[in-house]
Amino acid sequence: MAWIRKRPYLLFIAPGLVLYTLFTMYPIFSAVQISLNHWDGIGEKTFVGLANYVELFTSDVLFSQFTNAFKNSLIIFVLNSCAVLPAQLYMAYLLYTEIKGFRFVQAMIFSPQFISTPVIVFMGTLMLDGNIGVVNKMLEWIGLGDYARPWMGLPELGIYIVWLLAAWSGIGVGMIFFLGAMKMISPEVMEAAVLDGASFWRRLFSIIIPQVKTTILNMLVLTYIFSMTVFDYSFIMGGVSGGINNSMDVMALFFYRIAFGDNSAVGGTLNTNAMGMGTTIACVLFAIIFIVALVQVAISYRSVEED
């Protein structure tokens, strides 16, 4: 056809567009449609409009679980942003400067990514065990035995244990992102800085960080998305309820519990509307993530314009 001959690039775009529409856009719109219905996932749907959203934010039990899960997800995000991301940046910088044995160090830092989550949780549980755990044994060995605790049984530490294990597993991924961004910096710039007498830290803060600030913004968004969608660590350690007093509960686990899990925590009232309310939670989570992504795009665009 004539319009295809005039626009041949459409033939290259079409396959990706069809797949994206089929596996991304359609599920999103389908989820929104389901969230407007009272549905148990099997029987007939009953259209209820925004009633599910109203119930989510007005039901004391549902809203308390929502705020608790959202708070825990935010804690993971803040800890990742303030501790893990700077560590990833620094480790990437060390590898970029090719410290002694940097290839071995890179492999060791990235290797936890290849260990399955159940194994990581198992190892973490053994280390934090109150009776035979390595952590308590080390505290006793250095004379701090009074600080030994049954770490896995303390509700106030639940979400921090989730974060610690997830951070150890994934710290190498962000490091590789930063390392790739640093390798795109012109070698002449770094050589000139060395000749001018710039110190190790001066090169980091005056050259490296300004050059990779777009990557830092992108990593912040990826960190936020991960924090809001992390599921496996909380589920394996705390079960469908999210641990003692929901101390390990996160947004993805909250969605799973309402849609597919045990509704006894809300009096069983959601058994006939598990899929409707669960999809409502998923849509709210999508909106939260989407808004942050839009802000990131705006900030990145402004940063590029200023440069």
Side-chain angles (χ1 to χ4, degrees):
M1 293 182 289
W3 64 275
I4 293 182
R5 288 196 298 269
K6 293 180 180 179
R7 300 175 180 84
Y9 58 86
L10 293 177
L11 294 175
F12 294 93
I13 297 176
L17 180 61
V18 171
L19 292 175
Y20 182 79
T21 301
L22 182 62
F23 294 105
T24 302
M25 297 306 299
Y26 172 73
I28 291 175
F29 287 108
S30 178
V32 173
Q33 186 271 329
I34 293 175
S35 72
L36 301 177
N37 289 269
H38 189 284
W39 189 39
D40 62 358
I42 300 176
E44 291 293 328
K45 300 176 185 175
T46 303
F47 181 77
V48 293
L50 298 177
N52 288 332
Y53 293 90
V54 174
E55 182 180 359
L56 175 62
F57 291 103
T58 57
S59 169
D60 292 337
V61 177
L62 278 175
F63 188 66
S64 65
Q65 292 189 33
F66 172 82
T67 53
N68 176 66
F70 185 64
K71 178 198 69 175
N72 288 339
S73 294
L74 282 181
I75 288 175
I76 294 177
F77 170 65
V78 172
L79 290 173
N80 281 336
S81 300
C82 297
V84 178
L85 194 145
Q88 291 171 329
L89 183 62
Y90 177 66
M91 289 187 296
Y93 181 52
L94 290 177
L95 297 177
Y96 175 72
T97 56
E98 297 187 355
I99 60 173
K100 186 177 181 180
F102 72 96
R103 296 191 185 278
F104 174 78
V105 173
Q106 177 177 325
M108 289 300 99
I109 295 175
F110 192 78
S111 59
Q113 183 66 25
F114 301 108
I115 304 176
S116 65
T117 302
V119 174
I120 293 174
V121 172
F122 176 72
M123 292 190 300
T125 302
L126 286 181
M127 293 181 65
L128 296 170
D129 185 88
N131 297 316
I132 62 172
V134 175
V135 174
N136 282 346
K137 295 298 182 182
M138 289 186 63
L139 289 175
E140 293 174 1
W141 183 63
I142 61 177
L144 297 175
D146 292 340
Y147 292 94
R149 298 288 187 275
W151 305 103
M152 296 298 295
L154 299 177
E156 61 272 18
L157 297 180
I159 195 61
Y160 298 99
I161 294 175
V162 171
W163 165 74
L164 185 64
L165 296 181
W168 179 78
S169 171
I171 194 169
V173 177
M175 179 194 70
I176 295 299
F177 272 97
F178 285 127
L179 182 60
M182 291 176 188
K183 288 187 175 181
M184 295 177 65
I185 300 174
S186 174
E188 288 77 11
V189 175
M190 299 301 296
E191 292 174 3
V194 172
L195 293 175
D196 288 341
S199 66
F200 176 87
W201 295 106
R202 184 69 175 179
R203 296 196 299 272
L204 173 63
F205 289 104
S206 298
I207 298 177
I208 297 296
I209 291 180
Q211 292 287 334
V212 301
K213 61 182 180 180
T214 301
T215 304
I216 294 175
L217 290 173
N218 291 334
M219 281 302 302
L220 278 173
V221 174
L222 292 176
T223 297
Y224 181 78
I225 294 174
F226 169 79
S227 302
M228 288 296 157
T229 57
V230 63
F231 169 80
D232 43 2
Y233 291 93
S234 293
F235 180 72
I236 295 174
M237 284 191 286
V240 71
S241 63
I244 304 173
N245 298 331
N246 303 115
S247 60
M248 297 181 180
D249 200 13
V250 288
M251 287 298 294
L253 182 57
F254 175 48
F255 153 73
Y256 175 84
R257 180 169 62 253
I258 299 301
F260 306 106
D262 181 14
N263 289 325
S264 61
V266 289
T269 57
L270 292 178
N271 288 331
T272 60
N273 190 32
M275 192 57 64
M277 182 57 68
T279 310
T280 299
I281 296 170
C283 290
V284 172
L285 178 59
F286 171 79
I288 294 172
I289 295 175
F290 184 69
I291 291 171
V292 173
L294 286 180
V295 172
Q296 184 270 341
V297 170
I299 294 175
S300 299
Y301 179 79
R302 181 177 299 179
S303 175
V304 171
E305 287 294 312
E306 291 176 353
D307 294 340

